[in-house]
Amino acid sequence: MRSFQLKTQDDSETKALGFYIAQDFLNLKKGVLSVLFLSGELGAGKTVFTKGFLKGLGYKGMVKSPTFSIVDIYEINNFTVFHFDLYRITSPVELLEIGIEEYLEKKESLCIFEWPERAEQLLPFPDLKIEIKLTEVQENNSRIIKFMTKLDLKTLR
Amino acid sequence: MIILGIETSCDETGVALYDSKKNKILSENIFSQAAKHALYGGVVPELASRDQVLKLLPMVKLTLSESGKSSDQIDAIAYTKGPGLSGSLLVGASFANSLSLGWSKPCVGVHHMEAHLLVNLLEERSPQFPFLTLLVSGGHTLLIKALEIGEYQVLGQTRDDAVGEAFDKVAKILGMNYPGGPEIEKIAKKGNPNSYNLPRPMLNKKNLDFSFSGLKTAVLYVVKKKKLPLSKDFKADIAASFQAAVAETLVERCKSALLQTGDTQLVIGGGVASNQYVRKRLQKGLQGIDIFFPNLSRCTDNGAMVAVAGYHRFNNESSFSKSIEIKPRWDLSELNK
């Protein structure tokens, strides 16, 4: 497990970073990245990053916050991305009711979890863990983005 | 025709009986109400919020007994086929289809958003097709043109957070419990809506889409500059400024949409429609437009809307479901002929 840290200046850079990480992912062996954790406080930019990421995977439609729906599903060239937001989950049991195993077991798919802390004991160990943090107040839109992974992602080299 | 409607697409469990001849809901229950009736022998067990399997049977029993109808007086069963959480949808779908088999009554799966649109037809003062709908809730921010039953055009939607979600998250940023949307309205009454200059996202863009994530983040930045604990006056001012930004965005978007389509009727649905400040701003900002605010209990997810939509679907295509079918991902536009 290695750890990397990058700084983005604004939303568009955070989105672009998501885009490039996704492009790196497309060059990896199939199945090495199937679980991604995305942490950060409200307003940190988790959904912004995911928008860029899905665009990098080739998704052309709109990517919304899944807070209400808990999971949004994106189909991209026979590949499925499940974009979870566990913010509203109060007990891990709820995830079982939602049928979390079925999502995790699906082949040719990737599960992105925002707020994974809410049910960590039920989730598999992530192949890529990303933490987004706000910097000092004076630099409003910039973010520190920390990556933890075993994978060889070109953007992080 | 008497139709039993079952809604289980996300958090709520809703059951209702609709009489199409009278265009009236005979009886309905949403889970929280059912709990009050002490269905479980006066003790409400600690159910997880989506334990819909346990809720449905007693709720259907209760709804039937409240209406005075028996199962053989029911003509059809309607359930939410999608979009929604697959686990939740499956509960409603399997339950509805089992009833259908047991009672030998036809069963139809309906689109959750179409149900939200068609529930307006229940109101005493209801819009005539075609009309425009602004649906603003914790899960949706949509501008839809309803041309006729089964013919809908999504004109605009949120590109990130839903309006209600933005309210709830701003409340959380201000230290209130989630979801705290209604608390924002309360505290904003004491604040000055012009005290903070917050962005009106997307208003410079020509399309009819919305975006509220940037507004939420703008509030976060203002809050981060303040020393904790936040004072009451500050919370009131920032809440009022936030609410004003939201209201202005909604008014302007509706205005553009009405201009674009030439519609004169606008239905405002969804939980955010209960916000009195937003209501007033819409009424003031859209003079000359016939605005409809449906009954609030019909704005959030409920069984009545599913029963009504089910009735219209039977009328239109009598598509009897032959298998237990759900569609967790389902665009409204796929319904169009």
Side-chain angles (χ1 to χ4, degrees):
Chain A
M1 202 64 150
R2 291 168 64 196
S3 156
F4 308 83
Q5 198 165 297
L6 291 171
K7 191 172 168 188
T8 57
Q9 292 307 323
D10 54 29
D11 271 12
S12 63
E13 276 191 30
T14 303
K15 211 186 265 180
L17 184 58
F19 181 91
Y20 290 120
I21 296 289
Q23 297 256 297
D24 292 348
F25 162 65
L26 292 177
N27 291 325
L28 295 173
K29 221 171 66 191
K30 265 188 189 167
V32 291
L33 174 56
S34 58
V35 178
L36 193 165
F37 283 5
L38 198 48
S39 306
E41 66 178 300
L42 279 181
K46 299 180 292 298
T47 301
V48 170
F49 182 91
T50 309
K51 272 173 184 280
F53 189 87
L54 279 160
K55 203 174 169 196
L57 292 182
Y59 187 71
K60 299 210 166 59
M62 216 182 283
V63 175
K64 284 180 261 190
S65 157
T67 303
F68 180 79
S69 50
I70 299 176
V71 56
D72 281 346
I73 307 165
Y74 300 97
E75 303 277 352
I76 316 154
N77 313 322
N78 296 323
F79 186 80
T80 312
V81 176
F82 299 110
H83 181 198
F84 282 89
D85 186 336
L86 308 188
Y87 190 72
R88 299 198 307 124
I89 298 287
T90 47
S91 116
V93 180
E94 279 184 67
L95 268 191
L96 294 175
E97 288 166 8
I98 287 163
I100 186 77
E101 304 103 317
E102 282 178 48
Y103 294 101
L104 289 167
E105 280 164 14
K106 181 151 188 335
K107 289 202 175 103
E108 301 290 316
S109 76
L110 166 68
C111 289
I112 301 175
F113 290 98
E114 294 191 23
W115 296 97
E117 306 81 12
R118 301 276 156 119
E120 219 147 4
Q121 62 267 53
L122 275 181
L123 302 178
F125 196 76
D127 305 302
L128 173 60
K129 201 171 160 183
I130 303 174
E131 274 173 35
I132 309 183
K133 280 200 178 118
L134 271 72
T135 54
E136 293 305 305
V137 180
Q138 290 83 348
E139 306 173 68
N140 268 344
N141 290 310
S142 66
R143 299 287 189 270
I144 304 282
I145 305 184
K146 203 172 156 194
F147 296 84
M148 279 148 286
T149 185
K150 273 192 236 167
L151 305 172
D152 182 23
L153 297 164
K154 218 168 132 196
T155 308
L156 303 178
R157 272 182 211 155
Chain B
M1 216 176 167
I2 293 184
I3 304 208
L4 174 71
I6 297 172
E7 153 69 23
T8 61
S9 67
C10 194
D11 296 359
E12 267 33 278
T13 307
V15 175
L17 261 195
Y18 172 59
D19 184 333
S20 66
K21 236 187 242 159
K22 295 182 187 150
N23 189 28
K24 221 181 121 190
I25 294 296
L26 302 176
S27 60
E28 70 180 308
N29 284 287
I30 299 183
F31 177 67
S32 50
Q33 293 171 322
K36 272 187 235 147
H37 289 89
L39 283 170
Y40 302 92
V43 185
V44 180
E46 271 192 33
L47 301 171
S49 76
R50 258 168 231 88
D51 213 345
Q52 287 150 326
V53 181
L54 289 182
K55 292 172 189 166
L56 265 178
L57 189 60
M59 281 178 69
V60 169
K61 272 189 181 163
L62 179 71
T63 309
L64 277 179
S65 77
E66 280 175 351
S67 70
K69 300 277 176 201
S70 62
S71 59
D72 49 298
Q73 288 172 286
I74 292 172
D75 298 298
I77 301 148
Y79 69 94
T80 307
K81 189 161 99 180
L85 283 168
S86 44
S88 301
L89 290 170
L90 262 179
V91 171
S94 5
F95 188 82
N97 280 282
S98 316
L99 277 185
S100 161
L101 272 176
W103 290 349
S104 304
K105 308 280 173 172
C107 173
V108 69
V110 304
H111 192 289
H112 182 78
M113 298 313 296
E114 180 179 43
H116 268 301
L117 290 174
L118 296 185
V119 76
N120 295 313
L121 305 178
L122 268 180
E123 300 288 316
E124 240 168 71
R125 196 178 83 89
S126 69
Q128 304 291 313
F129 286 101
F131 58 86
L132 209 65
T133 299
L134 173 72
L135 191 70
V136 277
S137 67
H140 309 287
T141 307
L142 284 163
L143 257 174
I144 301 171
K145 170 143 185 166
L147 292 144
E148 56 176 294
I149 287 163
E151 211 48 66
Y152 314 106
Q153 235 177 327
V154 176
L155 303 176
Q157 56 185 311
T158 182
R159 298 194 166 185
D160 36 58
D161 296 3
V163 194
E165 180 183 345
F167 266 92
D168 290 338
K169 287 186 172 171
V170 163
K172 181 77 192 170
I173 290 170
L174 296 181
M176 301 160 189
N177 284 329
Y178 187 92
E183 278 183 66
I184 293 283
E185 181 183 5
K186 220 191 268 168
I187 194 169
K189 281 190 187 134
K190 297 182 191 116
N192 172 7
N194 300 315
S195 45
Y196 292 92
N197 187 18
L198 297 170
R200 269 66 170 157
M202 308 280 296
L203 279 193
N204 54 344
K205 299 267 166 63
K206 274 215 171 111
N207 59 57
L208 294 172
D209 283 338
F210 302 85
S211 161
F212 292 102
S213 165
L215 178 57
K216 164 192 76 189
T217 313
V219 171
L220 177 70
Y221 292 154
V222 176
V223 171
K224 288 259 163 178
K225 285 188 182 132
K226 291 279 164 185
K227 278 203 191 95
L228 293 172
L230 303 171
S231 76
K232 261 197 172 155
D233 288 344
F234 167 74
K235 282 192 198 176
D237 283 343
I238 189 83
S241 304
F242 163 76
Q243 199 174 242
V246 169
E248 192 185 321
T249 309
L250 296 178
V251 171
E252 289 309 315
R253 272 293 179 262
C254 288
K255 237 191 233 171
S256 313
L258 290 161
L259 270 174
Q260 197 177 303
T261 61
D263 282 297
T264 54
Q265 301 174 98
L266 177 67
V267 180
I268 319 258
V272 178
S274 67
N275 182 306
Q276 294 299 324
Y277 175 83
V278 170
R279 262 185 198 224
K280 270 187 207 138
R281 287 284 302 265
L282 282 160
Q283 276 162 332
K284 230 176 145 186
L286 302 169
Q287 282 171 14
I289 298 297
D290 205 0
I291 304 183
F292 299 82
F293 288 103
N295 185 331
L296 274 181
S297 65
R298 303 269 153 73
C299 283
T300 45
D301 296 349
N302 61 79
M305 64 183 207
V306 177
V308 173
Y311 166 70
H312 289 288
R313 277 291 149 190
F314 273 116
N315 261 1
N316 266 297
E317 54 192 58
S318 47
S319 64
F320 289 35
S321 80
K322 289 171 199 79
S323 59
I324 299 176
E325 210 191 334
I326 60 163
K327 273 186 119 170
R329 215 201 131 100
W330 192 5
D331 277 350
L332 192 62
S333 57
E334 288 176 46
L335 289 179
N336 295 351
K337 292 159 222 156

